[in-house]
Amino acid sequence: MSAAETVASSVRKGVPAITLAGVNKWFGALHVLRDVNLEVAMGERVVVCGPSGSGKSTLIRCINRLEEHQEGQIIVDGKELSNDIRSLDAIRREVGMVFQSFNLFPHLTILENCTLAPIWVRKMPKKEAEALAMEYLERVRIPEQAGKYPGQLSGGQQQRVAIARALCMKPKIMLFDEPTSALDPEMIKEVLDTMVMLAETGMTMICVTHEMGFARTVADRVVFMDRGEIVEQGVPEELFANPRTDRLKTFLSQILRGH
Amino acid sequence: MSGASLDPRLLRKAPPRPLRFSWSDERFRNIVYQVLVVAAVLSVFGWLWSNTRYNLEVRRIATGWGFLSREAGLPIGEHLIDYDPSMTYFRALLVGVLNTLKVAIIGIVLATILGTLLGIARLSKNWMLARFAGAYVEIVRDLPLLLQLLFWYSLLQGLPGPRQAFNPVTGVFLSNRGLKLPYIQWESAHSWTLLAVVVGAVLTWFYRRTVRAKQMQDGQIRSIWPAALLLMVGLPLLVWAALGAPFTIDVPELRGFNFRGGLDVSPEFFALLLGLTLYTAGFIAEIVRAGILAVSQGQWEAAEALGLSRRRVMNLIVLPQAMRVIIPPMTSQFLNITKNSSLAVAIGYQDIVSIANTTLNQTGQAIEGIAIIMLVYLTISLSISLFMNWYNKRIALVER
């Protein structure tokens, strides 16, 4: 099966949630994204993996324009990313993001962290926003922490709050940028469990992670990147069992040795 | 984990550490050291006190505060309250305190505004703006303040005389006699109008609160500017019109060799204010820049990823966090302006140091004179510190 056929088979139906066509990006002289083409269907769960410095984080940060691409097209939920501020705002409202370093707002309580965007972006009444926030805090299983400040929570709890905060905007697409890389092993599990639960609700997800177990359980497709380009992609079992390129073979052996 | 647990083991407190009267006990040692230090300091002060008293007596130097009620006979150029040389030393010193406060307060306000703008400008993506702000900061903080004050003062002295004064706009004159501005002839109607502005500002604050509460109710974000403008400009105008709209502008005029009328800003005050403001603004710019940079890029990214506009991110996320980094060094700068205003002596602005110095020379009561200067600066500085520390505590982060 060629790469193109793999992509075609994994795209389920309807409009794609995200389309990247011929995307190129440079940091100064460094060519960090090389002619990236990727299509993600609504409801699809994609895991992006690859050695560090391969451009995976840059790739998903381009999707909500935390980084600007310099060439090619990125279309999110039917809207093209451009310099138009209005389309950017519209896209960011539909795309939630979870960061490696949580990035909770330390001067606001957990509840205020979750209600901030619904109140100021979705123009939601405070009561309604708080009810919504409690619902999602319940879902990530930390409603009892609502009145505390981020500095009073453990790393795993903070990351679950970050997921709840993003979900409070009711996004159509969720981006995860190495969400478990800054966590202790026992906390990794609680965050991954939350993400698995989210995947089961049918959320469109793109997740940069080294957690191959997670990729195996939830991913519809795994994309392997190296040196700024997509080298291989496919259904997780197949990709992990029969890597076709040497680069993926090397990467997989390093990951497995690490575990 | 859960704080609501009633397990008695959680209620146990750490037991107090017993004090052993032994040289090998750390706590005992610390107490002994502290007692010794306090005793040493007290005895040094006691010695200074008795020594001073003895010497004053031997040299038959008068002490006490009686001189305060004597006639000062010292002329003061600028005074915020009524003053002439036939009044008491106390009155003269009060004029000096007010002059110090005048330059310090106006200086603090102007330096904060200018410094904040420069600090943000230095972070701007606009190349010109950022470089200009950077160059300004480097030049201004690398030169001694005294030098800058002398520079501005001699620059003002080098201006042409009143007859050839710069006259950029009608009624504004810049000459070696200082800055002359047009001024409204003050009537009671103007006081009422000013009061209306204050009332308008208070009402605006309440309005902002109710608007915010309403937003929390129904979610709609409303602009407060129309109402704020109405309250702070419309209301005073209405009051002014109702009182007959008196309006006579007192324009400075050249009469003979000097100006008559208008608002008078002396070259001494102008040079001191200019020097203090420009100098301190350079430091405040760096404090503001550091404060904004101290908020990690991740905070910007997380807030923007949630769909908040850059302005909202600045107001709701970055500034509240930057403030806790900015406030303590900012307090130091406010204290610096206040204390540096004593350099006024060098260019002849009559602040408290200058007047207390003259008092000291005329009465010969050096100890009282110095004590007054120290007391005034201590009072002002402690007030600023207390207020800023209270504010800083209010915005501190909860960590544990």
Side-chain angles (χ1 to χ4, degrees):
Chain A
M1 201 161 40
S2 77
E5 281 166 338
T6 319
V7 177
S9 71
S10 63
V11 172
R12 283 160 182 177
K13 58 188 177 272
V15 237
I18 300 165
T19 311
L20 284 87
V23 172
N24 277 286
K25 174 167 180 61
W26 291 261
F27 282 131
L30 195 66
H31 199 170
V32 283
L33 290 180
R34 298 163 191 260
D35 203 26
V36 172
N37 291 289
L38 184 71
E39 197 158 281
V40 179
M42 275 297 176
E44 198 181 0
R45 275 115 27 186
V46 176
V47 162
V48 182
C49 63
S52 58
S54 59
K56 15 183 230 312
S57 286
T58 311
L59 177 76
I60 71 164
R61 286 161 60 85
C62 279
I63 293 171
N64 64 355
R65 213 180 178 73
L66 289 180
E67 304 285 357
E68 248 175 79
H69 61 287
Q70 284 126 356
E71 222 176 79
Q73 239 187 346
I74 300 181
I75 299 168
V76 182
D77 193 30
K79 295 172 209 84
E80 188 181 347
L81 272 177
S82 64
N83 287 324
D84 185 349
I85 292 169
R86 276 165 307 168
S87 80
L88 179 61
D89 284 348
I91 287 169
R92 281 182 172 161
R93 246 171 276 160
E94 306 307 330
V95 180
M97 184 148 187
V98 175
F99 300 84
Q100 178 178 350
S101 48
F102 328 136
N103 293 342
L104 293 179
F105 308 129
H107 62 303
L108 300 176
T109 63
I110 299 308
L111 190 64
E112 287 165 344
N113 263 278
C114 294
T115 57
L116 185 85
I119 287 174
W120 289 99
V121 181
R122 289 258 188 250
K123 300 183 180 169
M124 200 181 268
K126 192 180 177 189
K127 274 228 175 83
E128 208 177 300
E130 283 179 349
L132 180 78
M134 286 314 290
E135 189 189 317
Y136 281 111
L137 286 175
E138 206 96 44
R139 204 177 297 176
V140 299
R141 294 192 305 273
I142 33 176
E144 72 279 0
Q145 311 287 357
K148 289 196 185 166
Y149 285 88
Q152 299 170 301
L153 267 54
S154 73
Q157 289 173 323
Q158 289 195 43
Q159 194 59 299
R160 285 187 281 151
V161 171
I163 294 173
R165 176 177 72 177
L167 291 176
C168 281
M169 284 296 284
K170 302 216 164 145
K172 291 180 180 156
I173 300 160
M174 283 286 283
L175 306 174
F176 292 86
D177 188 1
E178 304 205 25
T180 56
S181 301
L183 296 174
D184 293 340
E186 75 257 47
M187 292 174 183
I188 291 179
K189 191 178 173 306
E190 64 184 56
V191 171
L192 287 181
D193 285 349
T194 311
M195 289 167 65
V196 170
M197 206 173 58
L198 184 63
E200 282 162 0
T201 65
M203 175 68 75
T204 311
M205 290 164 71
I206 301 187
C207 184
V208 172
T209 183
H210 292 299
E211 296 295 329
M212 292 304 134
F214 173 76
R216 241 182 264 272
T217 32
V218 300
D220 297 313
R221 180 161 40 127
V222 173
V223 172
F224 171 66
M225 286 185 76
D226 191 21
R227 285 176 231 150
E229 52 194 0
I230 295 180
V231 179
E232 245 184 272
Q233 51 181 313
V235 186
E237 291 81 16
E238 248 186 64
L239 197 80
F240 295 146
N242 313 305
R244 277 174 292 119
T245 56
D246 285 341
R247 287 202 256 178
L248 180 53
K249 275 178 201 156
T250 319
F251 175 71
L252 286 176
S253 69
Q254 277 165 349
I255 285 277
L256 294 177
R257 208 181 308 141
H259 276 255
Chain B
M1 255 304 176
S2 80
S5 174
L6 285 171
D7 192 327
R9 279 170 301 180
L10 296 178
L11 298 175
R12 271 194 66 192
K13 289 200 179 89
R17 206 172 124 194
L19 183 66
R20 275 187 310 130
F21 292 93
S22 149
W23 193 238
S24 60
D25 186 312
E26 198 188 355
R27 221 151 60 103
F28 178 73
R29 252 194 221 205
N30 283 342
I31 289 173
V32 171
Y33 284 143
Q34 287 173 51
V35 168
L36 286 177
V37 167
V38 170
V41 169
L42 283 180
S43 49
V44 167
F45 272 104
W47 176 75
L48 281 175
W49 177 252
S50 67
N51 190 307
T52 310
R53 288 202 51 171
Y54 171 76
N55 280 312
L56 286 174
E57 224 161 281
V58 166
R59 287 169 180 72
R60 297 178 188 274
I61 296 173
T63 53
W65 301 96
F67 74 96
L68 282 177
S69 52
R70 292 212 303 270
E71 189 184 306
L74 102 104
I76 302 177
E78 340 187 28
H79 37 83
L80 287 173
I81 49 175
D82 261 353
Y83 179 80
D84 63 71
S86 68
M87 288 179 173
T88 61
Y89 276 115
F90 181 77
R91 187 80 174 180
L93 289 166
L94 190 62
V95 168
V97 171
L98 290 176
N99 278 348
T100 290
L101 282 176
K102 179 167 95 170
V103 76
I105 291 171
I106 300 177
I108 284 174
V109 172
L110 292 182
T112 306
I113 295 170
L114 181 65
T116 306
L117 292 178
L118 280 167
I120 294 173
R122 203 172 176 186
L123 291 171
S124 162
K125 284 186 181 129
N126 185 323
W127 190 87
M128 270 290 287
L129 199 60
R131 286 305 138 100
F132 170 77
Y136 174 90
V137 167
E138 286 312 328
I139 290 171
V140 141
R141 65 173 188 175
D142 291 352
L143 293 172
L145 176 57
L146 185 59
L147 188 72
Q148 294 188 34
L149 288 178
L150 292 173
F151 170 77
W152 291 117
Y153 189 58
S154 49
L155 198 71
L156 287 175
Q157 289 299 303
L159 287 174
R163 281 161 179 277
Q164 290 85 35
F166 288 123
N167 188 1
V169 193
T170 322
V172 176
F173 296 94
L174 189 63
S175 69
N176 60 8
R177 305 284 169 97
L179 186 66
K180 310 277 167 187
L181 299 166
Y183 191 58
I184 298 166
Q185 253 175 29
W186 205 256
E187 288 173 41
S188 69
H190 293 123
S191 300
W192 288 110
T193 310
L194 202 64
L195 188 68
V197 174
V198 176
V199 169
V202 173
L203 287 178
T204 305
W205 184 78
F206 277 110
Y207 177 74
R208 185 173 164 273
R209 257 180 46 152
T210 46
V211 160
R212 198 48 87 75
K214 238 197 215 159
Q215 181 200 339
M216 295 303 153
Q217 289 272 313
D218 65 4
Q220 289 314 303
I221 298 171
R222 299 169 183 82
S223 173
I224 66 159
W225 284 111
L229 216 62
L230 211 68
L231 284 171
M232 285 194 286
V233 179
L235 183 68
L237 278 179
L238 206 71
V239 169
W240 179 63
L243 290 171
F247 189 64
T248 342
I249 287 195
D250 188 6
V251 183
E253 255 181 288
L254 192 62
R255 290 263 176 80
F257 291 109
N258 207 346
F259 294 97
R260 282 284 174 82
L263 185 68
D264 186 22
V265 183
S266 74
E268 290 79 22
F269 176 75
F270 196 47
L272 183 63
L273 183 65
L274 204 63
L276 283 176
T277 302
L278 295 180
Y279 179 75
T280 314
F283 289 89
I284 290 180
E286 284 299 273
I287 292 169
V288 169
R289 187 172 74 105
I292 292 174
L293 286 179
V295 178
S296 75
Q297 193 60 27
Q299 293 286 310
W300 279 96
E301 290 179 353
E304 281 183 13
L306 284 167
L308 290 158
S309 65
R310 282 189 77 83
R311 189 170 62 89
R312 289 256 154 77
V313 178
M314 191 53 134
N315 288 338
L316 297 170
I317 306 298
V318 177
L319 278 183
Q321 292 183 61
M323 283 307 256
R324 78 200 150 95
V325 185
I326 290 174
I327 293 296
M330 196 76 123
T331 309
S332 304
Q333 291 307 322
F334 290 175
L335 297 178
N336 276 349
I337 288 196
T338 310
K339 291 178 296 173
N340 286 341
S341 71
S342 61
L343 289 174
V345 168
I347 54 173
Y349 176 70
Q350 285 173 305
D351 73 329
I352 180 63
V353 174
S354 161
I355 291 174
N357 245 331
T358 315
T359 306
L360 185 157
N361 285 334
Q362 290 181 358
T363 62
Q365 293 191 299
I367 298 201
E368 287 81 356
I370 299 294
I372 286 171
I373 297 176
M374 294 204 312
L375 195 71
V376 166
Y377 281 113
L378 256 180
T379 311
I380 300 175
S381 298
L382 279 177
S383 311
I384 295 175
S385 287
L386 280 177
F387 173 75
M388 296 296 272
N389 287 345
W390 167 80
Y391 183 66
N392 198 34
K393 210 168 233 174
R394 242 189 56 146
I395 61 169
L397 279 190
V398 181
E399 289 286 358
R400 229 161 283 293

